[in-house]
């Protein structure tokens, strides 16, 4: 292997390059709108929203004011834009109050005003404002059920949009007749605008009946208030042809594909050929791990479909159907399933992590896998298959000292997976 870096160091360098490519300080300034005749109001939600707001403040020459909500621990100093912290992935009262204040802030704007909306992953729970007649406790219970159901992010956000007073285009409608410019950092497969923070400034073509079908598909028990809102049609979202959305536009300033390309450049510089397998891979994390192991083994043993040395890169968002009571996350679940399927094959290393620094509900981004991972686990009395069955990926990799901890990255372009075949 003609590489200038050891396997783990190279994998970590690629992961950090992916995160750096999506930093708001780089990707926000080129997309700022022209100064309006009236006021500029900045609003936003997501794990990156505070860092996005800071980038706006540093590069905006005129007056501005605003409010954004981010995850606890993700605030950064801003002088003119208020930063509120709230809970993710299950919403709390702080996020609900911030959402209500945001609607009040944009409620009496004029056609000469511009609203700059900064949206990133995590906004679905951070900007939580239930429809009238629905309690925060109801929304919290729904979020927990969705997170454990195995539903895709698109399915989860479809349900959320139809039970919200601010998502599914409702925030943009509240800004009418002002211009609305949304700058978004994508964390969803396919960069679907309506799924980034459940699309608060984007028209939504899905319906209450679509949301009910998803609830039935996964056997989710709904409180009476939520079911009534969907069955009556009261939760219908703002549609794409709504005239209140006529003066809105959205720009993707950072995406999973951009992050993977930044990681690929690091690999090439180290003498390793990168292959991007997809930026929007979905499915059960353990199943994706098995499939990726098959591709990696064919590459290592047959030189197909790629010659080694190489690195297989992918992004997207897998899901985990929770059956155990371990400390899990979709990236470590993927990685553990990958390791079991590789069975210690020499010359294959991997890293999987969430670019926001939080895999599942742990303050851990992900983990690294090496050819001796299973052997070291058995030596400690840890049975890898038992850990996988218990959804205990974090417990497994932390015991081995192989967890990847970044702290808050202040951005989010979803999952990062790299399999290095030497």
């Amino acid at each position: 292997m003609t590489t200038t870096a050891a396997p783990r160091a190279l994998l970590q360098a690629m992961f950090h390059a992916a995160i750096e490519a999506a930093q708001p300080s780089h990707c926000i300034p080129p997309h700022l709108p022209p100064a309006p005749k009236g006021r500029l109001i900045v609003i936003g939600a997501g794990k990156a929203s505070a860092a996005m707001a800071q980038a706006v403040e540093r590069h905006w020459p005129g007056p501005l004011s605003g409010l954004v909500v981010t995850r606890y621990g993700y605030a950064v100093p801003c002088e003119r834009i208020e930063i509120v912290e709230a809970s993710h992935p299950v919403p709390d009262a702080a996020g609900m109050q911030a959402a209500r204040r945001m609607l009040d802030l944009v409620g009496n704007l004029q056609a000469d005003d511009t609203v700059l909306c900064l949206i990133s992953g995590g906004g679905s729970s951070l900007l939580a404002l239930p429809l009238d007649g629905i309690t925060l406790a109801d929304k919290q219970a729904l979020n927990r059920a969705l997170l454990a159901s195995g539903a895709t992010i698109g399915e989860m956000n479809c349900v959320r949009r139809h039970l919200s007073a601010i998502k599914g285009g409702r925030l943009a409608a509240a800004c009418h007749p002002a211009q609305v410019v949304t700058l978004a950092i994508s964390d969803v497969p396919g960069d679907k605008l309506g799924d980034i923070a459940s699309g608060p400034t984007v028209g939504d073509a899905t319906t209450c009946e679509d949301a009910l079908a998803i609830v039935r598909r996964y056997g989710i028990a709904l409180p009476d208030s939520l079911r009534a809102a969907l069955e009556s049609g009261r939760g219908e979202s703002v549609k794409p042809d709504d005239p209140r959305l006529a003066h809105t536009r959205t720009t993707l300033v950072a995406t999973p594909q951009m992050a993977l390309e930044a990681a690929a450049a690091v690999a090439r510089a180290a003498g390793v050929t990168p292959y991007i397998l997809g930026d929007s891979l979905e499915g059960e994390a353990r199943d994706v791990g098995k499939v990726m192991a098959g591709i990696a083994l064919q590459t290592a043993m047959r030189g197909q479909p790629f010659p080694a040395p190489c690195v297989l890169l992918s992004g997207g968002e897998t899901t985990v159907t929770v059956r155990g009571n371990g400390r899990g996350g979709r990236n470590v679940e993927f990685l553990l399933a990958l390791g079991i399927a590789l069975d210690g094959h020499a010359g294959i290393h991997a890293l999987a992590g969430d670019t926001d620094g939080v895999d599942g509900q742990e303050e851990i981004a992900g983990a690294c896998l090496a050819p001796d991972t299973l052997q070291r686990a058995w030596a400690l009395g840890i049975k890898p298959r038992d850990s996988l069955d218990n959804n205990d990926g974090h417990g497994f990799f932390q015991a081995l000292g192989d967890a990847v901890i970044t702290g808050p990255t202040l951005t989010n372009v979803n999952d990062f997976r790299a399999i290095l075949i030497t």
Side-chain angles (χ1 to χ4, degrees):
M1 178 178 176
T2 57
T3 175
T4 58
R8 180 174 293 201
L10 177 56
L11 289 166
Q12 290 180 325
M14 286 188 281
F15 185 42
H16 289 301
I19 293 169
E20 186 63 23
Q23 284 300 316
S25 58
H26 300 319
C27 62
I28 289 294
H31 298 285
L32 292 175
K37 292 181 180 179
R39 294 185 295 161
L40 180 75
I41 305 296
V42 181
I43 58 176
K47 297 172 189 174
S49 64
M52 295 168 83
Q54 186 183 70
V56 171
E57 280 198 349
R58 288 177 174 175
H59 291 86
W60 186 259
L64 58 80
S65 60
L67 168 69
V68 304
V69 56
T70 192
R71 189 179 191 269
Y72 289 118
Y74 281 57
V76 296
C78 286
E79 296 178 0
R80 293 171 286 172
I81 302 168
E82 182 183 354
I83 309 297
V84 172
E85 291 181 308
S87 176
H88 178 277
V90 177
D92 67 0
M96 184 173 70
Q97 292 162 5
R100 188 175 288 117
R101 290 180 56 206
M102 205 172 290
L103 285 178
D104 291 341
L105 187 64
V106 302
N108 293 291
L109 297 179
Q110 306 300 315
D112 285 342
D113 298 327
T114 292
V115 176
L116 179 59
C117 189
L118 308 174
I119 293 297
S120 60
S124 292
S125 65
L126 294 168
L127 200 64
L129 186 61
L131 288 172
D132 288 343
I134 296 175
T135 68
L136 176 61
D138 288 340
K139 288 294 292 287
Q140 289 171 328
L142 174 67
N143 258 41
R144 293 188 184 98
L146 287 168
L147 289 166
S149 70
T152 67
I153 188 64
E155 290 170 329
M156 287 192 281
N157 286 352
C158 175
V159 177
R160 288 162 164 164
R161 283 194 296 272
H162 291 92
L163 296 168
S164 172
I166 196 167
K167 302 185 187 76
R170 293 176 178 88
L171 180 56
C175 296
H176 180 77
Q179 303 280 330
V180 179
V181 177
T182 299
L183 303 184
I185 295 179
S186 172
D187 73 323
V188 299
D191 302 329
K192 297 175 182 176
L193 299 180
D195 283 337
I196 305 171
S198 297
T201 60
V202 179
D204 175 38
T206 66
T207 64
C208 285
E209 183 51 45
D210 293 328
L212 279 168
I214 292 165
V215 169
R216 289 192 292 266
R217 186 178 308 150
Y218 292 96
I220 296 170
L222 287 182
D224 290 343
S225 61
L226 273 62
R227 183 170 295 280
L230 295 177
E231 290 180 344
S232 67
R234 187 169 63 85
E236 203 51 78
S237 51
V238 178
K239 300 309 169 194
D241 60 355
D242 191 297
R244 292 172 296 175
L245 305 187
H247 301 293
T248 67
R249 64 179 175 87
T250 300
T251 300
L252 289 170
V253 299
T255 66
Q257 178 67 19
M258 295 176 191
L260 293 174
E261 289 174 355
V266 171
R268 288 192 198 94
V272 177
T273 304
Y275 296 96
I276 297 176
L277 302 185
D279 68 343
S280 56
L281 301 189
E282 296 182 88
E284 277 286 331
R286 63 181 63 194
D287 295 337
V288 176
K290 290 178 185 177
V291 171
M292 288 293 197
I295 297 172
L297 288 169
Q298 185 73 2
T299 298
M301 298 168 66
R302 310 287 187 192
Q304 298 171 334
F306 313 110
C310 65
V311 61
L312 310 180
L313 298 171
S314 65
E317 183 165 341
T318 60
T319 53
V320 175
T321 302
V322 179
R323 297 183 176 90
N325 59 5
R327 297 167 47 238
R330 58 183 183 262
N331 286 286
V332 286
E333 179 123 340
F334 159 84
L335 201 62
L336 182 51
L338 175 78
I340 292 170
L342 291 175
D343 196 25
H345 191 283
I348 302 179
H349 302 253
L351 182 151
D354 197 319
T355 54
D356 67 2
V358 180
D359 186 30
Q361 298 189 45
E362 294 273 343
E363 302 295 320
I364 302 170
C368 289
L369 178 82
D372 66 348
T373 293
L374 300 189
Q375 182 180 357
R376 289 187 289 122
W378 290 323
L380 292 175
I382 300 171
K383 298 177 180 178
R385 291 186 185 276
D386 288 352
S387 294
L388 183 60
D389 289 342
N390 196 33
N391 303 117
D392 193 31
H394 283 307
F396 178 88
F397 287 107
Q398 271 199 301
L400 299 177
D402 291 339
V404 173
I405 300 173
T406 62
T409 65
L410 307 181
T411 191
N412 184 18
V413 282
N414 223 323
D415 297 343
F416 173 90
R417 295 178 291 269
I419 304 173
L420 178 63
I421 301 156
T422 61

